[in-house]
């Protein structure tokens, strides 16, 4: 699925879930349709200028291999960003958590992939909020970019 600014997102919404038909390459804006929804695709590429908004208690899930982010991923309270492969926040990419959340690479524990941050990850939830960063297997979290944690966030 290609998504350009101003274009149609092309999501199916069976049973209240947002399901991408193909590996999305996002150059525009994509939103989970409602709180508690899931957007899943085999491979997720959020290109420069692309914006993905993960709504309250919703999930952005890569089911095959590798989520690459060079744009912006905004994650509302309780949101989850997960992938069966690696998660790469590339230079110029932003992942911002507005409350509690989860960032998990290799969620199937099958390949030892990890997370690499070359961009900026923000934990902006404040008091009593936690973002869990993990890998399901032997992978690691590596950061050469910015990692910002708001006062009282963990």
């Amino acid at each position: 699925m290609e998504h350009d600014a101003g274009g149609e997102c092309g999501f199916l919404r069976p049973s209240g879930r947002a399901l991408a038909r193909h590996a999305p390459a996002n150059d525009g804006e994509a939103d989970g349709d409602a709180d508690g929804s899931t957007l899943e695709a085999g491979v997720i590429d959020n290109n420069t200028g692309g914006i993905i908004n993960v709504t309250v208690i919703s999930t952005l899930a890569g089911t095959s291999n590798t989520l690459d982010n060079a744009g912006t991923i905004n994650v509302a309270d309780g949101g989850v960003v997960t992938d069966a492969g690696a998660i790469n926040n590339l230079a110029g990419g932003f992942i911002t958590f507005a409350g509690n959340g989860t960032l998990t690479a290799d969620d199937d524990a099958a390949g030892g992939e990890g997370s690499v941050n070359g961009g900026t990850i923000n934990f902006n939830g404040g008091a009593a909020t936690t973002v869990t960063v993990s890998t399901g297997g032997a992978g690691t979290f590596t950061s050469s970019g910015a990692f910002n944690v708001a006062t009282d966030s963990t």
Side-chain angles (χ1 to χ4, degrees), residues 62-92:
T63 60
S64 223
N65 190 26
T66 310
L67 182 157
D68 285 325
N69 179 50
T72 299
I73 299 175
N74 296 309
V75 185
D77 189 39
V80 174
V81 177
T82 187
D83 199 278
I87 296 176
N88 300 313
N89 190 39
L90 305 171

Side-chain angles (χ1 to χ4, degrees), residues 1 20 28 32 42 74 79 83 125 135 137 144 146 149:
M1 176 188 75
N74 296 309
D83 199 278
T135 62
S144 61
V149 180

Side-chain angles (χ1 to χ4, degrees), residues 31-49:
D31 293 294
D33 190 36
D35 292 349
S37 64
T38 297
L39 168 62
E40 55 184 29
V43 176
I44 299 170
D45 291 320
N46 190 32
N47 298 322
T48 301

Side-chain angles (χ1 to χ4, degrees), residues 18-126:
L19 176 65
R21 288 183 284 216
H22 305 289
N26 180 37
D27 296 315
E29 187 165 351
D31 293 294
D33 190 36
D35 292 349
S37 64
T38 297
L39 168 62
E40 55 184 29
V43 176
I44 299 170
D45 291 320
N46 190 32
N47 298 322
T48 301
I51 300 169
I52 298 174
N53 295 312
V54 180
T55 58
V56 174
I57 62 169
S58 294
T59 300
L60 174 64
T63 60
S64 223
N65 190 26
T66 310
L67 182 157
D68 285 325
N69 179 50
T72 299
I73 299 175
N74 296 309
V75 185
D77 189 39
V80 174
V81 177
T82 187
D83 199 278
I87 296 176
N88 300 313
N89 190 39
L90 305 171
F94 290 87
I95 300 175
T96 300
F97 289 86
N100 296 302
T102 303
L103 179 68
T104 304
D106 192 20
D107 62 13
D108 63 359
E113 299 93 350
S115 293
V116 175
N117 178 39
T120 302
I121 297 178
N122 299 304
F123 296 170
N124 290 343

